[in-house]
Amino acid sequence: MTNTVDQIITITDIAVKKFQELLFDANKKDSYLKIAIVLDGTQMQYSMDIKDELIEGDKVYTFNELKMVINEEDELLLKGLEIDYVQDEFGSEFTLHNPNMMEIYDDEDGGCCGGGCCCGH
């Protein structure tokens, strides 16, 4: 696994390679892969996008030659995120899992399963 210097995100080498291939295929090899949190009502989802420029608050993390961007507003929620790329007989996909999400939202007002959405009691 490949880690950032301060351990915000863990990403496997195969996932880094696949992201690099996607950027190359889109003729965006010098662009950034941005990971963010999107709130939709009470559900939280991860968002990935290709960005050519940085905006205020963006921090760049490098995995081999892959430049990943996380906005400082999303750092707490993304801390501990594990990204992998899996392939089986049914197809292939990027997987995102954050075991720390439960710690962030597990309080007396609600709970969280760690799968990306949180519900109140």
Side-chain angles (χ1 to χ4, degrees):
M1 294 233 175
T2 303
N3 296 305
T4 64
V5 174
D6 53 9
Q7 303 294 320
I8 295 289
I9 291 178
T10 302
I11 183 169
T12 63
D13 292 334
I14 188 70
V16 169
K17 182 180 176 187
K18 289 298 181 179
F19 280 129
Q20 288 173 317
E21 288 174 8
L22 289 173
L23 291 171
F24 183 81
D25 290 346
N27 201 24
K28 298 281 188 173
K29 68 178 184 151
D30 294 323
S31 297
Y32 304 92
L33 176 68
K34 184 164 189 169
I35 297 184
I37 298 294
V38 177
L39 297 175
D40 183 17
T42 59
Q43 289 201 331
M44 184 179 68
Q45 300 176 1
Y46 298 107
S47 167
M48 287 191 233
D49 200 4
I50 298 171
K51 297 293 182 183
D52 293 324
E53 297 179 12
L54 300 175
I55 61 170
E56 186 175 333
D58 281 348
K59 292 185 178 180
V60 178
Y61 298 92
T62 305
F63 301 90
N64 296 332
E65 294 180 24
L66 175 67
K67 297 178 287 187
M68 186 174 292
V69 174
I70 299 172
N71 193 281
E72 60 190 16
E73 293 176 3
D74 291 333
E75 277 187 316
L76 176 64
L77 297 174
L78 290 172
K79 185 173 180 158
L81 181 64
E82 300 168 354
I83 303 174
D84 194 7
Y85 182 83
V86 294
Q87 189 168 4
D88 60 23
E89 63 272 11
F90 301 110
S92 59
E93 66 182 349
F94 289 100
T95 61
L96 290 86
H97 175 69
N98 192 340
N100 293 324
M101 193 57 63
M102 188 180 302
E103 293 175 16
I104 294 169
Y105 283 102
D106 190 19
D107 61 23
E108 58 199 44
D109 296 328
C112 187
C113 64
C117 66
C118 296
C119 312
H121 292 277

